[in-house]
Amino acid sequence: YKISKPVISYYEHNKRQRGEEILASLKEGKAWALVTDAGSPAISDPGEDMVRLCAEADVPVTMVPGACAAIDALALSALSARRFVFEGFLEGKADERREYLFSMRSEKRTMVFYEAPHRLKETLSLMEEAFGNRKLALCRELTKRNEEILRTDLSGALAYYDEHAPRGEYVLVLNGASADGSEEFWADMTIAEQVERYLSLGLSKMEAIKQTAKDRGLPKSAVYKEILSGRG
């Protein structure tokens, strides 16, 4: 389009300094456009901080509609798009991500995650531990030349990426829990057996008790009492 304008970088590691520079320029009456080569600015993106900075300084911000990887992937997933929850990138170390995923086992809405290629296999493995073998769609390079949509399940995805190196940024669209509760692995377990199952997956004792209580709709004290009494 033969557009020739100055361009500066703005990303996670320089956003504090650059944000102040851009804000000062905006206050002088200049106009800036925040663009990204992947997804949409401000959605799991440092642009969120720039918008907040402008809002705090009463500097107006507007939006030009564009591609949103989460919405595109949801539409292409062949999973239910009627109700969904956007989770973005999972935060923390592996144990923290595992605990968070376990806390979402009963989520019935379709779940949308972002993931980087170097963490994809680990995340898929954590999801299989937490959710069992649910259906999902893996979408990468959306709206670009190498766009790829893989509709499979968690076991199939792990097998596929054992033979194919992940490339590009991914959107994972994961099926929600079954309304009839058929995916509750602990249905035939005692409380103690369920706690032991979570311990075997790497959760601490308190994390296992907390998750067991959440699954069953019980107070943590009740689960803890059952474990201490040996009746669980």
Side-chain angles (χ1 to χ4, degrees):
Y1 295 102
K2 298 181 180 179
I3 298 172
S4 179
K5 291 288 182 180
V7 178
I8 67 169
S9 64
Y10 175 86
Y11 53 92
E12 189 65 33
H13 300 295
N14 73 355
K15 65 183 182 182
R16 187 181 300 274
Q17 176 186 346
R18 281 289 165 78
E20 293 295 340
E21 293 174 6
I22 295 169
L23 182 62
S25 178
L26 288 165
K27 287 181 175 180
E28 292 174 357
K30 294 182 180 179
W32 285 83
L34 179 65
V35 298
T36 175
D37 60 358
S40 294
I43 304 299
S44 285
D45 176 89
E48 174 185 355
D49 298 277
M50 191 68 242
V51 173
R52 185 181 300 111
L53 198 63
C54 289
E56 291 171 351
D58 292 323
V59 172
V61 180
T62 189
M63 182 76 176
V64 177
C68 175
I71 299 301
D72 288 355
L74 184 66
L76 295 168
S77 69
L79 298 177
S80 174
R82 183 173 177 271
R83 297 177 69 236
F84 66 94
V85 56
F86 175 68
E87 289 293 326
F89 289 97
L90 291 169
E91 298 180 350
K93 297 179 180 179
D95 287 346
E96 295 172 304
R97 300 200 301 274
R98 178 186 289 108
E99 182 182 4
Y100 185 74
L101 290 170
F102 268 101
S103 75
M104 296 186 67
R105 278 188 56 86
S106 60
E107 175 60 68
K108 292 182 171 60
R109 292 171 293 183
T110 301
M111 292 169 275
V112 182
F113 300 85
Y114 286 168
E115 194 50 277
H118 67 278
R119 286 200 337 180
L120 179 66
K121 291 177 66 175
E122 180 183 54
T123 294
L124 291 172
S125 181
L126 293 175
M127 286 180 169
E128 188 179 44
E129 286 184 22
F131 300 113
N133 192 27
R134 289 192 191 174
K135 291 181 180 179
L136 86 160
L138 300 98
C139 309
R140 71 178 188 93
E141 301 297 291
L142 290 170
T143 75
K144 299 178 183 178
R145 184 185 300 274
N146 296 317
E147 177 176 293
E148 180 182 43
I149 314 296
L150 177 63
R151 301 180 184 91
T152 180
D153 53 33
L154 285 164
S155 294
L158 283 166
Y160 180 84
Y161 287 106
D162 276 341
E163 299 182 4
H164 301 82
R167 294 180 178 178
E169 298 294 318
Y170 285 81
V171 184
L172 309 179
V173 185
L174 182 68
N175 220 19
S178 295
D180 61 6
S182 60
E183 294 186 6
E184 304 297 357
F185 73 94
W186 47 265
D188 296 324
M189 291 182 175
T190 65
I191 289 175
E193 288 171 340
Q194 185 178 352
V195 170
E196 284 298 323
R197 170 61 174 160
Y198 282 134
L199 289 173
S200 72
L201 293 174
L203 273 66
S204 70
K205 185 172 182 179
M206 288 310 300
E207 290 169 344
I209 289 173
K210 180 181 178 181
Q211 188 58 48
T212 298
K214 181 178 177 67
D215 290 344
R216 295 174 180 259
L218 298 171
K220 287 184 293 184
S221 58
V223 174
Y224 191 69
K225 184 178 180 180
E226 287 292 318
I227 298 301
L228 285 179
S229 68
R231 296 196 306 269

